[in-house]
Amino acid sequence: MKPNHGSHRALWFIAGCMLLVATAGEAQNVSVGVVLDMESWVGKVGLSCIDMSLSELYEANPHYKTRVVLHRRDSAGDVVGAAAAAVDLINNNKVEAILGPTTSMQTNFVIKLAHKAHVPILTFTASSPSLASHRSPYFFRLTHTDSAQVAAIRDLLKFYNWRQVVLIYQDDEFGDGMLPYLIDALQGVNARVPYQSIIDPTATEDQIEEELYKLMTMPTRVFLVHMLPSLAIRLFAKANQIGMMREGYVWILTDATTNLLDSMPSSVLKSMEGALGVRTYVPKSMELDRFKIKWKREFVMENSVPNDPYLDIFGLWAYDAARALAIAVEKTGAKNFTFENPNRGQNLTDLETLGVSRNGEKIVEALSKTKFMGLTGNYEIVNGQLQSAEFEIVNVNSNGGNRVGFWNPEKGLLSNNMTVIWPGNTAAVPKGWEFPTAGKRLRIGVPVKEGYSEFVRVNGKKVEGYCRDVFDAVIEALPYALPFDYIPFALPNGSRAGSYDDLIMQVNTGVYDGAIGDITIVANRSKYVDFTLPFTDSGVSMVVPTKANSMNRAWLFLKPLTVGLWITSLCFFVFMGFVVWILEHRINPAFRGPPSHHIGTSLWYSFCTMVFAQRETLISNLARFVVVIWFFVMFVLTQSYTASLTSLLTVQQLQPTIININELLTKQSWVGYLDGSFVWGLLTSVGIKNLKSYRSPEELDKLLKLGGSNGGIDAAFDETPYIKLFLSKFPNKYITANPTYKTDGFGFAFSIDSPLVADISRAVLNVRESEKMNQLQMKWFGEDNSWSSVKVTSSRLSLSNFWGLFLIVGIAAIISLFIYFFIFLRKELHTLRNTTTEASNSSIRSKIRALLRIYDNRDLTSHTFRKSNPPQVVDNKIQANHGDSVGASSSSNYLLSSSNDSIHDTNHGFSKSGDLSPSNQDVETVIHTTNEIVPQNEKYP
């Protein structure tokens, strides 16, 4: 018979209850069942904490009218035993609630029994998320669900940038329940699970060893262990034995094991040294310290344990769960806790005769509203679930666990900068994978080709070329050694074994671990392999022969500007001449005269601004404002024209024989492509049918020389690195033309989700930014290879380059005209009224005609038509300043000024522009027709 370790504890508890009952008066006893694995550590600790919780609660609250009386049952670690214990407690002891069972599998079945009997189930150890699927209001998980720690594990992997992790979990409901939540969380940080190791809880040592050896053959070195401590201890003992706890390995434990680290012996902990674990965080408090001391003293006395026992989180949850239940029972206020017994018939099973608690719903409601400060912190139940807590990240050592980080739902992972000692007693962070394993070297496939040997060249088993040297430089830049071998992708006779796509499929199927060479990164290939970042420029362009510029050099001066810009400039020259004429016509003698003189002067002035050689003086401030802006436009335009013309005259102009792909399609020209390249598919997709392949730059040169009509090709499409090399070999004979199709350049290919891709991509960036890349380019492509291609682009200046300037000068001219006409109309409004009043016809047309006549006259008030020495009247004649005389009326004391502009023209009596020398007949006409009398002391116009 097994010794009754709890006899002393039971007697002590009964005596305490009798004392409390005696002091509390008429307190009602409420039966509560306890179903635990009594022989397990969790069961022993949990039961002791439940007893102490009820004892301390009733001691502190003697006025309570209810007393929880426990009925204990041992499930013996068996699902059937737990179910039988629950049925017995409900049928025979009429329990109002059950604390337990221990495991998730036991709880899974007991929940259904409790739901049928309306008996709340309070488990403080069953943590599988799958238990929530029952959605029973009578199930209370007073521990943290395993899914609560998933976010902490995810952030831990992200912190160390581990992209692959192998899951190791036990094959039961406890192990399976967390799996979907974990995989979903890992996908959020681009981490994947390449393999899942499932171990049966009853597996033998040989079976565990076999599974671990399988894991050793895989490149991933990050293992997440989710299993109960009993199985985890066996797993780590075997892993330590076969050498999987050495440097380079990463082991992460879930809280199912980590929560019990401090209760494990040092011999067990030694096999786990270096592992990281997620553990429930319990805030420190004086009450917690007090209870730990008291519990340790009483537990040692009752169980006779030789070593110093450790109170784990499950004991604390048991204490708080018992307290929550006792408070809820008290809150129900029920005077009678009874069951409804079903009709008992013959041949009925125990399940069919389960009674139904009349107070189950009240206890459930009271539990849902229960809140208090427990040993584990703020204790609150929401939807039957203890609220998620914070976690600490611990580093396993021989003394238990050393905290190295902290996690909470709001701030995520917080590191306290403590050094982690990894397996192998090293502080260097493992990279998370080890490739290859068991002495295996990487097999790197290399394509075999004939042309463009500067990129890759295979001679037997010897591999040379630019791509090989770049890969070697990249491997040297890695922070760790990576042994590998180049394997030519060739037939036994040394010839090419297939296309580049075939080589990609060989990597996909595992024949090669990776592939290097002039392999272009395209979307279709990325479905089968993962590419590193490119190490060359990208794009596919058309290369065509050049021809000398056939344009007549005599007319080359027209080429700097496009037709649209020429026309726009010409229109603005005319427009600006018209604007200046309008603003200067009434006040500037240079802009007066017959119509032909008006037009000539205006255009002459406008075009002279192009070379800043105009001689006419502007009088109007508005005209000056407009011309200043026009000068700036002309300065910019002429300087740009001069620069473009200089370039056209000094640089040899090479023109492509074919401008674009539309010309190829229209003429059905022959087009070349590199043999084995993906470019063939690109050309067929755009509708090109006449295709011919080539294998080397020399063959491409020969085909382009022949031309499509002589058995050659008219153009070729190739990738940017090939075109650069081709143009460097045959300069000034060929040129690239549009279109350019975007690709990602050359890259190194590895199997999908290979852990090498990220590290090699970073190394590629380092090499590309270093002088090493320039040295390799000079080695294989020569100093004259600038690695830059010439594009056929137009150097002509178009209207789009200057439309802003034209817009500014146009707006300035329009505003000036508006201001001018506003001033003119305001000034001459009275004259217009007098004219239209005297006229017999005052229609709109006559008014416009009169307005135009007024505008065509000189503005006699302008200072430009006044002179400091006015002419005198001598002997009945008007004596001009220069000595010419004209007839005048002797009786007049005033000089008569005509509004007729004809006397100002040199063809009408003026000796020269600006001088007044009219004939006698003209003056007489003026005297008899004038409408204005100018006093003699006024300046003569």
Side-chain angles (χ1 to χ4, degrees), residues 435-749:
F435 200 51
T437 59
K440 178 185 175 184
R441 297 171 63 88
L442 283 177
R443 292 172 54 86
I444 304 298
V446 182
V448 175
K449 55 186 300 181
E450 296 182 9
Y452 293 102
S453 58
E454 290 85 353
F455 289 99
V456 62
R457 178 190 307 154
V458 177
N459 184 9
K461 293 185 178 182
K462 185 178 181 181
V463 177
E464 298 177 321
Y466 174 74
C467 297
R468 178 253 167 88
D469 286 356
V470 171
F471 186 73
D472 288 345
V474 168
I475 296 302
E476 291 177 2
L478 292 175
Y480 48 84
L482 187 67
F484 64 91
D485 295 315
Y486 291 118
I487 309 296
F489 181 48
L491 297 174
N493 60 3
S495 62
R496 185 174 63 177
S499 65
Y500 281 57
D501 290 339
D502 295 330
L503 176 58
I504 292 297
M505 295 307 299
Q506 294 291 307
V507 176
N508 176 262
T509 57
V511 176
Y512 299 109
D513 299 310
I516 71 160
D518 46 353
I519 304 172
T520 305
I521 304 172
V522 292
N524 185 55
R525 293 173 179 172
S526 65
K527 298 177 182 178
Y528 306 100
V529 295
D530 278 348
F531 285 98
T532 64
L533 291 176
F535 59 90
T536 64
D537 295 334
S538 61
V540 174
S541 299
M542 180 173 67
V543 59
V544 296
T546 60
K547 61 179 180 181
N549 192 349
S550 60
M551 181 179 178
N552 192 334
R553 305 289 286 185
W555 300 100
L556 188 63
F557 69 92
L558 296 175
K559 193 171 180 62
L561 307 184
T562 61
V563 175
L565 186 55
W566 277 118
I567 295 175
T568 303
S569 301
L570 181 61
C571 292
F572 263 83
F573 276 121
V574 176
F575 174 68
M576 294 307 298
F578 174 71
V579 171
V580 173
W581 178 82
I582 288 177
L583 299 176
E584 294 287 320
H585 175 64
R586 300 194 72 225
I587 62 176
N588 195 336
F591 289 87
R592 301 193 61 81
S596 60
H597 181 73
H598 296 179
I599 296 173
T601 302
S602 300
L603 294 179
W604 162 259
Y605 183 87
S606 180
F607 279 95
C608 282
T609 58
M610 183 170 59
V611 291
F612 311 103
Q614 70 287 344
R615 303 180 63 181
E616 292 76 5
T617 301
L618 297 181
I619 297 174
S620 170
N621 288 330
L622 290 175
R624 292 170 179 172
F625 168 70
V626 173
V627 170
V628 167
I629 299 178
W630 179 242
F631 277 169
F632 176 73
V633 174
M634 283 296 96
F635 176 78
V636 174
L637 188 61
T638 54
Q639 293 298 315
S640 302
Y641 172 86
T642 303
S644 181
L645 181 61
T646 303
S647 175
L648 291 172
L649 292 173
T650 56
V651 178
Q652 182 182 8
Q653 297 296 302
L654 298 178
Q655 298 296 321
T657 56
I658 296 176
I659 300 299
N660 52 46
I661 194 172
N662 293 329
E663 188 175 348
L664 292 176
L665 295 172
T666 302
K667 297 180 179 180
Q668 293 293 310
S669 303
W670 283 90
V671 178
Y673 67 94
L674 184 62
D675 187 28
S677 172
F678 75 97
V679 175
W680 178 87
L682 177 64
L683 296 177
T684 55
S685 65
V686 298
I688 298 178
K689 298 180 180 179
N690 299 327
L691 295 172
K692 186 171 295 186
S693 65
Y694 58 88
R695 296 189 174 184
S696 65
E698 292 73 21
E699 186 178 356
L700 174 58
D701 175 54
K702 180 179 179 181
L703 291 174
L704 288 172
K705 283 182 179 178
L706 290 174
S709 59
N710 298 319
I713 58 177
D714 300 302
F717 281 81
D718 217 332
E719 299 170 70
T720 299
Y722 297 135
I723 289 178
K724 290 179 178 180
L725 180 59
F726 177 73
L727 294 178
S728 67
K729 288 188 173 184
F730 304 97
N732 301 326
K733 295 176 61 178
Y734 304 99
I735 195 171
T736 59
N738 289 327
T740 297
Y741 298 97
K742 293 297 182 182
T743 63
D744 284 336
F746 296 162
F748 305 124

Side-chain angles (χ1 to χ4, degrees), residues 13 75 86-87 94 118 154 169 237 258 269 409 412 452 462 555 644 667 677 684 777 844 853 856 898 909 935 938:
F13 178 72
S75 62
V87 171
K94 309 299 181 182
H118 292 188
R154 174 202 63 197
Y169 58 95
T258 314
L269 293 172
Y452 293 102
K462 185 178 181 181
W555 300 100
S644 181
K667 297 180 179 180
S677 172
T684 55
Q777 291 175 0
I844 295 178
R853 280 197 302 270
D856 192 45
S898 173
E938 293 287 344

